[in-house]
Amino acid sequence: QVQLVESGGGLVQSGGSLRLSCAASGFTLDYYGIGWFRQVPGKEREGVSCINSEGDTYYADSVKGRFTISRDNAKNTVYLQMNSLKPEDTAVYYCAGRWLGSRCSTEGQDYWGQGTQVTVSS
C-alpha cells in the first residue's frame, strides 16, 4: 500500500521541541519533493517547510530559524525538527510528496499523510 505516515506530534509547552517524522511505504522517497503543511480549523492549509530531491529547502517566514527539515533516504523518511515552539504553531501537521516536486504548495501533491496533531500550550 502506497502511503505517507506522520508521527511525533503531541502536547508540548511553549518553548519546547518536537520532531515529526514522515515515513513512506510502498514507494521510495528519493525522487520526491516532500513538504510539511499545517492546518487549523477554519483556515487554509499552509506550507511550513519543504525539501526537494536534491536537498534544497524552503521555510515559511513564521518558522525560519526554529524548524529544520531533513531527509534520510536510507530510512525513506523526512523529518521536521521543531524548536522554540509557540502556541501559534498549534495545528494538524501533514506531510505530502510530489514526484520531482520543487514548489512548497498544497496543489499537485501525489500523496498526503493522515496528519498528526501538534498542540503548544502557553
Side-chain angles (χ1 to χ4, degrees):
Q1 184 177 3
V2 175
Q3 60 180 352
L4 292 171
V5 179
E6 303 97 335
S7 61
L11 173 63
V12 64
Q13 289 187 334
S14 181
S17 298
L18 285 173
R19 188 176 80 156
L20 304 184
S21 298
C22 173
S25 62
F27 69 105
T28 56
L29 289 178
D30 295 33
Y31 295 102
Y32 279 80
I34 301 296
W36 285 97
F37 303 83
R38 66 188 181 187
Q39 189 170 25
V40 298
K43 292 191 175 182
E44 291 187 355
R45 193 170 296 186
E46 63 174 0
V48 175
S49 180
C50 297
I51 185 167
N52 67 13
S53 59
E54 296 182 352
D56 300 320
T57 58
Y58 160 86
Y59 297 95
D61 288 343
S62 59
V63 306
K64 280 181 182 177
R66 301 188 297 122
F67 290 11
T68 303
I69 192 170
S70 62
R71 63 191 302 153
D72 186 338
N73 288 345
K75 294 184 178 180
N76 221 24
T77 301
V78 171
Y79 304 97
L80 184 68
Q81 178 67 44
M82 306 187 296
N83 298 328
S84 302
L85 282 161
K86 305 175 181 180
E88 51 263 45
D89 294 318
T90 296
V92 177
Y93 283 71
Y94 300 88
C95 68
R98 178 174 180 170
W99 174 258
L100 297 180
S102 60
R103 294 177 60 237
C104 204
S105 171
T106 57
E107 297 181 355
Q109 299 293 338
D110 297 317
Y111 305 112
W112 284 92
Q114 82 288 351
T116 185
Q117 177 70 47
V118 171
T119 302
V120 184
S121 63
S122 57

